[in-house]
Amino acid sequence: NAGVTQTPKFRILKIGQSMTLQCTQDMNHNYMYWYRQDPGMGLKLIYYSVGAGITDKGEVPNGYNVSRSTTEDFPLRLELAAPSQTSVYFCASTPLGGTEAFFGQGTRLTVV
Amino acid sequence: GQQLNQSPQSMFIQEGEDVSMNCTSSSIFNTWLWYKQDPGEGPVLLIALYKAGELTSNGRLTAQFGITRKDSFLNISASIPSDVGIYFCKTGGSQGNLIFGKGTKLSVKP
């Protein structure tokens, strides 16, 4: 079972570049989430989605954009990368009515 | 917004020692979950609690859902080196806005 798949696993960006972090899940979960985790710190919610076509801001949305055109995919876009966005990004999903979150393996992003 | 206060922030213990950590909130929740994050990995569910007062074990791990529904505790008995990682408490917020505690980083000295 694939679960939640994130790509790429690692990426180095230059300041001002843009990129899209991909996340896909094959469990037909309604809810999907993007978190960032800075070194030694907890998980901060960037954006979440309760279903296709619906997205909402989390705790730290500035500098990011998301879309949810299908149930399976929830890409996270960085338009103008900044050093402060150096972090590990985790995508997660939960089923409708459930609270257990299933996480991807993470994307380690460095902005130089 | 809703917040979970998780403590301690970090722990350095000797192999074989028991570990206790907890999460508290000013809000009432219907579920409490505990996750573990191994270094370089995403968090994975350890124990889920769905009823106030519930005490649930998973091997050497025991978690309790507080009677007030505002807190939860996780205990690890006889720690081993592979217990190293970050432990997160989690509960459900409104409209799918999942709330995590800030984590307890556990280091185990052989």
Side-chain angles (χ1 to χ4, degrees), chain A residues 23-43:
Chain A
C23 175
T24 187
Q25 52 93 8
D26 62 358
M27 298 173 283
N28 201 32
H29 285 173
N30 287 68
Y31 298 154
M32 295 187 74
Y33 312 83
W34 274 106
Y35 293 89
R36 61 174 286 174
Q37 185 178 34
D38 298 330
M41 304 296 285
L43 299 160

mmCIF file with all atom_site columns, all heavy atoms in Angstrom, chain A residues 23-43:
data_model
loop_
_atom_site.group_PDB
_atom_site.id
_atom_site.type_symbol
_atom_site.label_atom_id
_atom_site.label_alt_id
_atom_site.label_comp_id
_atom_site.label_asym_id
_atom_site.label_entity_id
_atom_site.label_seq_id
_atom_site.pdbx_PDB_ins_code
_atom_site.Cartn_x
_atom_site.Cartn_y
_atom_site.Cartn_z
_atom_site.occupancy
_atom_site.B_iso_or_equiv
_atom_site.pdbx_formal_charge
_atom_site.auth_seq_id
_atom_site.auth_comp_id
_atom_site.auth_asym_id
_atom_site.auth_atom_id
_atom_site.pdbx_PDB_model_num
ATOM 1   N N   . CYS A 1 23 ? 2.104   15.942 -3.481 1.00 0.00 ? 23 CYS A N   1
ATOM 2   C CA  . CYS A 1 23 ? 1.583   15.014 -2.481 1.00 0.00 ? 23 CYS A CA  1
ATOM 3   C C   . CYS A 1 23 ? 0.389   14.294 -3.075 1.00 0.00 ? 23 CYS A C   1
ATOM 4   O O   . CYS A 1 23 ? -0.528  14.948 -3.618 1.00 0.00 ? 23 CYS A O   1
ATOM 5   C CB  . CYS A 1 23 ? 1.164   15.736 -1.206 1.00 0.00 ? 23 CYS A CB  1
ATOM 6   S SG  . CYS A 1 23 ? 0.388   14.642 0.008  1.00 0.00 ? 23 CYS A SG  1
ATOM 7   N N   . THR A 1 24 ? 0.386   12.994 -2.974 1.00 0.00 ? 24 THR A N   1
ATOM 8   C CA  . THR A 1 24 ? -0.743  12.213 -3.455 1.00 0.00 ? 24 THR A CA  1
ATOM 9   C C   . THR A 1 24 ? -1.036  11.083 -2.470 1.00 0.00 ? 24 THR A C   1
ATOM 10  O O   . THR A 1 24 ? -0.122  10.530 -1.870 1.00 0.00 ? 24 THR A O   1
ATOM 11  C CB  . THR A 1 24 ? -0.476  11.665 -4.875 1.00 0.00 ? 24 THR A CB  1
ATOM 12  O OG1 . THR A 1 24 ? -1.658  11.054 -5.379 1.00 0.00 ? 24 THR A OG1 1
ATOM 13  C CG2 . THR A 1 24 ? 0.663   10.664 -4.874 1.00 0.00 ? 24 THR A CG2 1
ATOM 14  N N   . GLN A 1 25 ? -2.311  10.790 -2.296 1.00 0.00 ? 25 GLN A N   1
ATOM 15  C CA  . GLN A 1 25 ? -2.698  9.689  -1.411 1.00 0.00 ? 25 GLN A CA  1
ATOM 16  C C   . GLN A 1 25 ? -3.698  8.791  -2.136 1.00 0.00 ? 25 GLN A C   1
ATOM 17  O O   . GLN A 1 25 ? -4.539  9.272  -2.906 1.00 0.00 ? 25 GLN A O   1
ATOM 18  C CB  . GLN A 1 25 ? -3.268  10.218 -0.081 1.00 0.00 ? 25 GLN A CB  1
ATOM 19  C CG  . GLN A 1 25 ? -4.375  11.235 -0.180 1.00 0.00 ? 25 GLN A CG  1
ATOM 20  C CD  . GLN A 1 25 ? -5.775  10.671 -0.160 1.00 0.00 ? 25 GLN A CD  1
ATOM 21  O OE1 . GLN A 1 25 ? -5.990  9.477  0.074  1.00 0.00 ? 25 GLN A OE1 1
ATOM 22  N NE2 . GLN A 1 25 ? -6.766  11.523 -0.400 1.00 0.00 ? 25 GLN A NE2 1
ATOM 23  N N   . ASP A 1 26 ? -3.592  7.498  -1.845 1.00 0.00 ? 26 ASP A N   1
ATOM 24  C CA  . ASP A 1 26 ? -4.423  6.519  -2.546 1.00 0.00 ? 26 ASP A CA  1
ATOM 25  C C   . ASP A 1 26 ? -5.429  5.865  -1.613 1.00 0.00 ? 26 ASP A C   1
ATOM 26  O O   . ASP A 1 26 ? -5.894  4.751  -1.865 1.00 0.00 ? 26 ASP A O   1
ATOM 27  C CB  . ASP A 1 26 ? -3.546  5.466  -3.226 1.00 0.00 ? 26 ASP A CB  1
ATOM 28  C CG  . ASP A 1 26 ? -2.710  4.659  -2.236 1.00 0.00 ? 26 ASP A CG  1
ATOM 29  O OD1 . ASP A 1 26 ? -2.777  4.948  -1.021 1.00 0.00 ? 26 ASP A OD1 1
ATOM 30  O OD2 . ASP A 1 26 ? -1.984  3.759  -2.681 1.00 0.00 ? 26 ASP A OD2 1
ATOM 31  N N   . MET A 1 27 ? -5.759  6.552  -0.515 1.00 0.00 ? 27 MET A N   1
ATOM 32  C CA  . MET A 1 27 ? -6.661  5.974  0.490  1.00 0.00 ? 27 MET A CA  1
ATOM 33  C C   . MET A 1 27 ? -8.053  6.605  0.419  1.00 0.00 ? 27 MET A C   1
ATOM 34  O O   . MET A 1 27 ? -8.892  6.341  1.274  1.00 0.00 ? 27 MET A O   1
ATOM 35  C CB  . MET A 1 27 ? -6.056  6.187  1.881  1.00 0.00 ? 27 MET A CB  1
ATOM 36  C CG  . MET A 1 27 ? -4.717  5.482  2.042  1.00 0.00 ? 27 MET A CG  1
ATOM 37  S SD  . MET A 1 27 ? -3.874  5.872  3.591  1.00 0.00 ? 27 MET A SD  1
ATOM 38  C CE  . MET A 1 27 ? -3.243  7.506  3.216  1.00 0.00 ? 27 MET A CE  1
ATOM 39  N N   . ASN A 1 28 ? -8.277  7.461  -0.572 1.00 0.00 ? 28 ASN A N   1
ATOM 40  C CA  . ASN A 1 28 ? -9.570  8.133  -0.751 1.00 0.00 ? 28 ASN A CA  1
ATOM 41  C C   . ASN A 1 28 ? -9.939  8.982  0.473  1.00 0.00 ? 28 ASN A C   1
ATOM 42  O O   . ASN A 1 28 ? -11.113 9.109  0.830  1.00 0.00 ? 28 ASN A O   1
ATOM 43  C CB  . ASN A 1 28 ? -10.678 7.113  -1.039 1.00 0.00 ? 28 ASN A CB  1
ATOM 44  C CG  . ASN A 1 28 ? -11.879 7.766  -1.724 1.00 0.00 ? 28 ASN A CG  1
ATOM 45  O OD1 . ASN A 1 28 ? -11.725 8.713  -2.484 1.00 0.00 ? 28 ASN A OD1 1
ATOM 46  N ND2 . ASN A 1 28 ? -13.064 7.272  -1.428 1.00 0.00 ? 28 ASN A ND2 1
ATOM 47  N N   . HIS A 1 29 ? -8.916  9.557  1.108  1.00 0.00 ? 29 HIS A N   1
ATOM 48  C CA  . HIS A 1 29 ? -9.165  10.402 2.268  1.00 0.00 ? 29 HIS A CA  1
ATOM 49  C C   . HIS A 1 29 ? -9.688  11.769 1.840  1.00 0.00 ? 29 HIS A C   1
ATOM 50  O O   . HIS A 1 29 ? -9.197  12.357 0.874  1.00 0.00 ? 29 HIS A O   1
ATOM 51  C CB  . HIS A 1 29 ? -7.881  10.580 3.083  1.00 0.00 ? 29 HIS A CB  1
ATOM 52  C CG  . HIS A 1 29 ? -7.526  9.360  3.865  1.00 0.00 ? 29 HIS A CG  1
ATOM 53  N ND1 . HIS A 1 29 ? -6.333  9.266  4.561  1.00 0.00 ? 29 HIS A ND1 1
ATOM 54  C CD2 . HIS A 1 29 ? -8.181  8.199  4.073  1.00 0.00 ? 29 HIS A CD2 1
ATOM 55  C CE1 . HIS A 1 29 ? -6.294  8.089  5.174  1.00 0.00 ? 29 HIS A CE1 1
ATOM 56  N NE2 . HIS A 1 29 ? -7.392  7.433  4.880  1.00 0.00 ? 29 HIS A NE2 1
ATOM 57  N N   . ASN A 1 30 ? -10.634 12.286 2.601  1.00 0.00 ? 30 ASN A N   1
ATOM 58  C CA  . ASN A 1 30 ? -11.163 13.614 2.284  1.00 0.00 ? 30 ASN A CA  1
ATOM 59  C C   . ASN A 1 30 ? -10.198 14.726 2.690  1.00 0.00 ? 30 ASN A C   1
ATOM 60  O O   . ASN A 1 30 ? -10.011 15.690 1.972  1.00 0.00 ? 30 ASN A O   1
ATOM 61  C CB  . ASN A 1 30 ? -12.494 13.837 3.000  1.00 0.00 ? 30 ASN A CB  1
ATOM 62  C CG  . ASN A 1 30 ? -13.610 13.037 2.378  1.00 0.00 ? 30 ASN A CG  1
ATOM 63  O OD1 . ASN A 1 30 ? -13.638 11.828 2.450  1.00 0.00 ? 30 ASN A OD1 1
ATOM 64  N ND2 . ASN A 1 30 ? -14.529 13.732 1.726  1.00 0.00 ? 30 ASN A ND2 1
ATOM 65  N N   . TYR A 1 31 ? -9.615  14.571 3.869  1.00 0.00 ? 31 TYR A N   1
ATOM 66  C CA  . TYR A 1 31 ? -8.808  15.662 4.416  1.00 0.00 ? 31 TYR A CA  1
ATOM 67  C C   . TYR A 1 31 ? -7.335  15.497 4.068  1.00 0.00 ? 31 TYR A C   1
ATOM 68  O O   . TYR A 1 31 ? -6.787  14.395 4.192  1.00 0.00 ? 31 TYR A O   1
ATOM 69  C CB  . TYR A 1 31 ? -8.935  15.716 5.937  1.00 0.00 ? 31 TYR A CB  1
ATOM 70  C CG  . TYR A 1 31 ? -10.315 15.985 6.467  1.00 0.00 ? 31 TYR A CG  1
ATOM 71  C CD1 . TYR A 1 31 ? -10.687 15.547 7.721  1.00 0.00 ? 31 TYR A CD1 1
ATOM 72  C CD2 . TYR A 1 31 ? -11.251 16.691 5.728  1.00 0.00 ? 31 TYR A CD2 1
ATOM 73  C CE1 . TYR A 1 31 ? -11.952 15.796 8.233  1.00 0.00 ? 31 TYR A CE1 1
ATOM 74  C CE2 . TYR A 1 31 ? -12.516 16.947 6.228  1.00 0.00 ? 31 TYR A CE2 1
ATOM 75  C CZ  . TYR A 1 31 ? -12.857 16.497 7.476  1.00 0.00 ? 31 TYR A CZ  1
ATOM 76  O OH  . TYR A 1 31 ? -14.112 16.743 7.964  1.00 0.00 ? 31 TYR A OH  1
ATOM 77  N N   . MET A 1 32 ? -6.722  16.575 3.663  1.00 0.00 ? 32 MET A N   1
ATOM 78  C CA  . MET A 1 32 ? -5.282  16.562 3.418  1.00 0.00 ? 32 MET A CA  1
ATOM 79  C C   . MET A 1 32 ? -4.668  17.818 4.015  1.00 0.00 ? 32 MET A C   1
ATOM 80  O O   . MET A 1 32 ? -5.333  18.855 4.134  1.00 0.00 ? 32 MET A O   1
ATOM 81  C CB  . MET A 1 32 ? -4.973  16.453 1.925  1.00 0.00 ? 32 MET A CB  1
ATOM 82  C CG  . MET A 1 32 ? -5.430  15.127 1.320  1.00 0.00 ? 32 MET A CG  1
ATOM 83  S SD  . MET A 1 32 ? -4.893  14.883 -0.378 1.00 0.00 ? 32 MET A SD  1
ATOM 84  C CE  . MET A 1 32 ? -3.144  14.513 -0.151 1.00 0.00 ? 32 MET A CE  1
ATOM 85  N N   . TYR A 1 33 ? -3.373  17.713 4.379  1.00 0.00 ? 33 TYR A N   1
ATOM 86  C CA  . TYR A 1 33 ? -2.706  18.776 5.140  1.00 0.00 ? 33 TYR A CA  1
ATOM 87  C C   . TYR A 1 33 ? -1.270  18.934 4.671  1.00 0.00 ? 33 TYR A C   1
ATOM 88  O O   . TYR A 1 33 ? -0.640  17.965 4.250  1.00 0.00 ? 33 TYR A O   1
ATOM 89  C CB  . TYR A 1 33 ? -2.654  18.422 6.637  1.00 0.00 ? 33 TYR A CB  1
ATOM 90  C CG  . TYR A 1 33 ? -3.961  17.957 7.217  1.00 0.00 ? 33 TYR A CG  1
ATOM 91  C CD1 . TYR A 1 33 ? -4.361  16.635 7.084  1.00 0.00 ? 33 TYR A CD1 1
ATOM 92  C CD2 . TYR A 1 33 ? -4.785  18.841 7.895  1.00 0.00 ? 33 TYR A CD2 1
ATOM 93  C CE1 . TYR A 1 33 ? -5.565  16.202 7.616  1.00 0.00 ? 33 TYR A CE1 1
ATOM 94  C CE2 . TYR A 1 33 ? -5.980  18.417 8.432  1.00 0.00 ? 33 TYR A CE2 1
ATOM 95  C CZ  . TYR A 1 33 ? -6.377  17.100 8.285  1.00 0.00 ? 33 TYR A CZ  1
ATOM 96  O OH  . TYR A 1 33 ? -7.561  16.677 8.811  1.00 0.00 ? 33 TYR A OH  1
ATOM 97  N N   . TRP A 1 34 ? -0.774  20.151 4.808  1.00 0.00 ? 34 TRP A N   1
ATOM 98  C CA  . TRP A 1 34 ? 0.647   20.415 4.649  1.00 0.00 ? 34 TRP A CA  1
ATOM 99  C C   . TRP A 1 34 ? 1.185   21.025 5.941  1.00 0.00 ? 34 TRP A C   1
ATOM 100 O O   . TRP A 1 34 ? 0.630   22.004 6.450  1.00 0.00 ? 34 TRP A O   1
ATOM 101 C CB  . TRP A 1 34 ? 0.927   21.377 3.500  1.00 0.00 ? 34 TRP A CB  1
ATOM 102 C CG  . TRP A 1 34 ? 1.031   20.703 2.172  1.00 0.00 ? 34 TRP A CG  1
ATOM 103 C CD1 . TRP A 1 34 ? 0.126   20.707 1.162  1.00 0.00 ? 34 TRP A CD1 1
ATOM 104 C CD2 . TRP A 1 34 ? 2.142   19.931 1.698  1.00 0.00 ? 34 TRP A CD2 1
ATOM 105 N NE1 . TRP A 1 34 ? 0.577   19.982 0.102  1.00 0.00 ? 34 TRP A NE1 1
ATOM 106 C CE2 . TRP A 1 34 ? 1.821   19.490 0.401  1.00 0.00 ? 34 TRP A CE2 1
ATOM 107 C CE3 . TRP A 1 34 ? 3.370   19.564 2.238  1.00 0.00 ? 34 TRP A CE3 1
ATOM 108 C CZ2 . TRP A 1 34 ? 2.683   18.703 -0.365 1.00 0.00 ? 34 TRP A CZ2 1
ATOM 109 C CZ3 . TRP A 1 34 ? 4.228   18.783 1.483  1.00 0.00 ? 34 TRP A CZ3 1
ATOM 110 C CH2 . TRP A 1 34 ? 3.887   18.363 0.188  1.00 0.00 ? 34 TRP A CH2 1
ATOM 111 N N   . TYR A 1 35 ? 2.278   20.422 6.445  1.00 0.00 ? 35 TYR A N   1
ATOM 112 C CA  . TYR A 1 35 ? 2.965   20.927 7.625  1.00 0.00 ? 35 TYR A CA  1
ATOM 113 C C   . TYR A 1 35 ? 4.409   21.238 7.252  1.00 0.00 ? 35 TYR A C   1
ATOM 114 O O   . TYR A 1 35 ? 4.976   20.617 6.361  1.00 0.00 ? 35 TYR A O   1
ATOM 115 C CB  . TYR A 1 35 ? 2.983   19.883 8.743  1.00 0.00 ? 35 TYR A CB  1
ATOM 116 C CG  . TYR A 1 35 ? 1.650   19.550 9.350  1.00 0.00 ? 35 TYR A CG  1
ATOM 117 C CD1 . TYR A 1 35 ? 0.863   18.528 8.819  1.00 0.00 ? 35 TYR A CD1 1
ATOM 118 C CD2 . TYR A 1 35 ? 1.171   20.240 10.460 1.00 0.00 ? 35 TYR A CD2 1
ATOM 119 C CE1 . TYR A 1 35 ? -0.368  18.212 9.380  1.00 0.00 ? 35 TYR A CE1 1
ATOM 120 C CE2 . TYR A 1 35 ? -0.054  19.930 11.025 1.00 0.00 ? 35 TYR A CE2 1
ATOM 121 C CZ  . TYR A 1 35 ? -0.819  18.919 10.481 1.00 0.00 ? 35 TYR A CZ  1
ATOM 122 O OH  . TYR A 1 35 ? -2.028  18.606 11.039 1.00 0.00 ? 35 TYR A OH  1
ATOM 123 N N   . ARG A 1 36 ? 5.000   22.144 7.998  1.00 0.00 ? 36 ARG A N   1
ATOM 124 C CA  . ARG A 1 36 ? 6.440   22.327 7.937  1.00 0.00 ? 36 ARG A CA  1
ATOM 125 C C   . ARG A 1 36 ? 7.007   22.074 9.330  1.00 0.00 ? 36 ARG A C   1
ATOM 126 O O   . ARG A 1 36 ? 6.358   22.345 10.352 1.00 0.00 ? 36 ARG A O   1
ATOM 127 C CB  . ARG A 1 36 ? 6.831   23.712 7.423  1.00 0.00 ? 36 ARG A CB  1
ATOM 128 C CG  . ARG A 1 36 ? 6.375   24.877 8.246  1.00 0.00 ? 36 ARG A CG  1
ATOM 129 C CD  . ARG A 1 36 ? 6.947   26.190 7.697  1.00 0.00 ? 36 ARG A CD  1
ATOM 130 N NE  . ARG A 1 36 ? 8.377   26.328 7.996  1.00 0.00 ? 36 ARG A NE  1
ATOM 131 C CZ  . ARG A 1 36 ? 9.141   27.305 7.533  1.00 0.00 ? 36 ARG A CZ  1
ATOM 132 N NH1 . ARG A 1 36 ? 8.629   28.219 6.714  1.00 0.00 ? 36 ARG A NH1 1
ATOM 133 N NH2 . ARG A 1 36 ? 10.401  27.386 7.864  1.00 0.00 ? 36 ARG A NH2 1
ATOM 134 N N   . GLN A 1 37 ? 8.213   21.528 9.329  1.00 0.00 ? 37 GLN A N   1
ATOM 135 C CA  . GLN A 1 37 ? 8.880   21.223 10.591 1.00 0.00 ? 37 GLN A CA  1
ATOM 136 C C   . GLN A 1 37 ? 10.292  21.753 10.517 1.00 0.00 ? 37 GLN A C   1
ATOM 137 O O   . GLN A 1 37 ? 11.127  21.246 9.769  1.00 0.00 ? 37 GLN A O   1
ATOM 138 C CB  . GLN A 1 37 ? 8.887   19.719 10.858 1.00 0.00 ? 37 GLN A CB  1
ATOM 139 C CG  . GLN A 1 37 ? 9.456   19.357 12.220 1.00 0.00 ? 37 GLN A CG  1
ATOM 140 C CD  . GLN A 1 37 ? 9.400   17.870 12.485 1.00 0.00 ? 37 GLN A CD  1
ATOM 141 O OE1 . GLN A 1 37 ? 9.539   17.063 11.575 1.00 0.00 ? 37 GLN A OE1 1
ATOM 142 N NE2 . GLN A 1 37 ? 9.175   17.495 13.750 1.00 0.00 ? 37 GLN A NE2 1
ATOM 143 N N   . ASP A 1 38 ? 10.564  22.772 11.309 1.00 0.00 ? 38 ASP A N   1
ATOM 144 C CA  . ASP A 1 38 ? 11.905  23.331 11.380 1.00 0.00 ? 38 ASP A CA  1
ATOM 145 C C   . ASP A 1 38 ? 12.755  22.478 12.323 1.00 0.00 ? 38 ASP A C   1
ATOM 146 O O   . ASP A 1 38 ? 12.202  21.770 13.174 1.00 0.00 ? 38 ASP A O   1
ATOM 147 C CB  . ASP A 1 38 ? 11.845  24.777 11.855 1.00 0.00 ? 38 ASP A CB  1
ATOM 148 C CG  . ASP A 1 38 ? 11.068  25.646 10.872 1.00 0.00 ? 38 ASP A CG  1
ATOM 149 O OD1 . ASP A 1 38 ? 11.075  25.337 9.668  1.00 0.00 ? 38 ASP A OD1 1
ATOM 150 O OD2 . ASP A 1 38 ? 10.424  26.624 11.306 1.00 0.00 ? 38 ASP A OD2 1
ATOM 151 N N   . PRO A 1 39 ? 14.081  22.525 12.202 1.00 0.00 ? 39 PRO A N   1
ATOM 152 C CA  . PRO A 1 39 ? 14.946  21.634 12.995 1.00 0.00 ? 39 PRO A CA  1
ATOM 153 C C   . PRO A 1 39 ? 14.645  21.695 14.489 1.00 0.00 ? 39 PRO A C   1
ATOM 154 O O   . PRO A 1 39 ? 14.607  22.775 15.089 1.00 0.00 ? 39 PRO A O   1
ATOM 155 C CB  . PRO A 1 39 ? 16.349  22.178 12.688 1.00 0.00 ? 39 PRO A CB  1
ATOM 156 C CG  . PRO A 1 39 ? 16.222  22.786 11.333 1.00 0.00 ? 39 PRO A CG  1
ATOM 157 C CD  . PRO A 1 39 ? 14.847  23.384 11.276 1.00 0.00 ? 39 PRO A CD  1
ATOM 158 N N   . GLY A 1 40 ? 14.404  20.531 15.067 1.00 0.00 ? 40 GLY A N   1
ATOM 159 C CA  . GLY A 1 40 ? 14.160  20.446 16.505 1.00 0.00 ? 40 GLY A CA  1
ATOM 160 C C   . GLY A 1 40 ? 12.828  21.004 16.952 1.00 0.00 ? 40 GLY A C   1
ATOM 161 O O   . GLY A 1 40 ? 12.594  21.143 18.154 1.00 0.00 ? 40 GLY A O   1
ATOM 162 N N   . MET A 1 41 ? 11.975  21.327 15.992 1.00 0.00 ? 41 MET A N   1
ATOM 163 C CA  . MET A 1 41 ? 10.706  21.970 16.348 1.00 0.00 ? 41 MET A CA  1
ATOM 164 C C   . MET A 1 41 ? 9.524   21.062 16.016 1.00 0.00 ? 41 MET A C   1
ATOM 165 O O   . MET A 1 41 ? 9.671   19.984 15.442 1.00 0.00 ? 41 MET A O   1
ATOM 166 C CB  . MET A 1 41 ? 10.571  23.301 15.590 1.00 0.00 ? 41 MET A CB  1
ATOM 167 C CG  . MET A 1 41 ? 11.707  24.257 15.793 1.00 0.00 ? 41 MET A CG  1
ATOM 168 S SD  . MET A 1 41 ? 11.841  24.825 17.491 1.00 0.00 ? 41 MET A SD  1
ATOM 169 C CE  . MET A 1 41 ? 10.472  25.964 17.546 1.00 0.00 ? 41 MET A CE  1
ATOM 170 N N   . GLY A 1 42 ? 8.345   21.555 16.366 1.00 0.00 ? 42 GLY A N   1
ATOM 171 C CA  . GLY A 1 42 ? 7.127   20.800 16.100 1.00 0.00 ? 42 GLY A CA  1
ATOM 172 C C   . GLY A 1 42 ? 6.597   21.040 14.704 1.00 0.00 ? 42 GLY A C   1
ATOM 173 O O   . GLY A 1 42 ? 7.243   21.640 13.851 1.00 0.00 ? 42 GLY A O   1
ATOM 174 N N   . LEU A 1 43 ? 5.401   20.560 14.477 1.00 0.00 ? 43 LEU A N   1
ATOM 175 C CA  . LEU A 1 43 ? 4.740   20.648 13.171 1.00 0.00 ? 43 LEU A CA  1
ATOM 176 C C   . LEU A 1 43 ? 3.863   21.888 13.119 1.00 0.00 ? 43 LEU A C   1
ATOM 177 O O   . LEU A 1 43 ? 3.017   22.090 13.987 1.00 0.00 ? 43 LEU A O   1
ATOM 178 C CB  . LEU A 1 43 ? 3.881   19.403 12.947 1.00 0.00 ? 43 LEU A CB  1
ATOM 179 C CG  . LEU A 1 43 ? 4.643   18.085 12.927 1.00 0.00 ? 43 LEU A CG  1
ATOM 180 C CD1 . LEU A 1 43 ? 3.695   16.925 13.186 1.00 0.00 ? 43 LEU A CD1 1
ATOM 181 C CD2 . LEU A 1 43 ? 5.337   17.896 11.590 1.00 0.00 ? 43 LEU A CD2 1
#
